Amino acid sequence: MFVRSLFLVLIAAALIGCGVDNKGAAGDIAMAKIEGTVFYRERIALPPNAVVEIQLEDVSRADAMATVMATLTLNSENGPPYAFSIDYDPARIDSRMTYALRASIRVDDKLMFTTMDYTDPFSGNPVSVLVRRVPSNP
């Protein structure tokens, strides 16, 4: 009986030691993905040098700047809507906090479009992110 109990304890310990972790085969942290599209309503084409940036942000603190959790930059060669897949570390996500997706489109480092509404990144895949035109400065 003692030998059987010891055997079961050893097997349980081995299984716990082989448990699932957040590392891949190469020792990298297993990343999760948020997939979606960035779009705008205006019927205009952007120049080929336009850059689309998507950020996953922790926006929990109203009195502080958002903490950027992940960033993805795309070129605009295929035209809108711009499909994206942004990787993030799920271990850094705290269920008590609030997260948002922010997107912007820049041409020659000038902001043309940006998000102006809250976009929940965890509302399900794919996520649609609306960007609105920013008035140009004279």
Side-chain angles (χ1 to χ4, degrees), residues 13 22 24 27 34 44-45 48 56 65 67-68 70 73-74 83 88 91 96 117 125 132 138:
N22 285 338
I34 299 170
I44 60 172
L56 172 61
M65 289 183 58
T67 301
V68 177
T73 304
L74 309 168
Y88 69 95
R96 298 170 296 171
D117 301 316
N125 281 332
R132 296 178 194 257

Side-chain angles (χ1 to χ4, degrees), residues 21-84:
D21 63 5
N22 285 338
K23 300 203 181 227
D28 297 328
I29 295 174
M31 302 296 276
K33 292 181 187 278
I34 299 170
E35 297 175 337
T37 55
V38 174
F39 70 99
Y40 52 86
R41 293 185 179 145
E42 289 79 0
R43 297 181 60 101
I44 60 172
L46 295 176
N49 63 331
V51 176
V52 180
E53 182 179 71
I54 302 102
Q55 294 182 329
L56 172 61
E57 299 178 337
D58 178 348
V59 294
S60 302
R61 295 179 41 188
D63 61 341
M65 289 183 58
T67 301
V68 177
M69 308 294 287
T71 301
L72 175 67
T73 304
L74 309 168
N75 60 29
S76 65
E77 64 188 26
N78 294 332
Y82 303 103
F84 68 87

Side-chain angles (χ1 to χ4, degrees), residues 89-109:
D89 179 2
R92 294 183 60 200
I93 302 300
D94 184 338
S95 62
R96 298 170 296 171
M97 301 302 182
T98 303
Y99 299 91
L101 283 176
R102 174 174 300 284
S104 62
I105 301 175
R106 296 178 185 275
V107 176
D108 297 328
D109 289 328

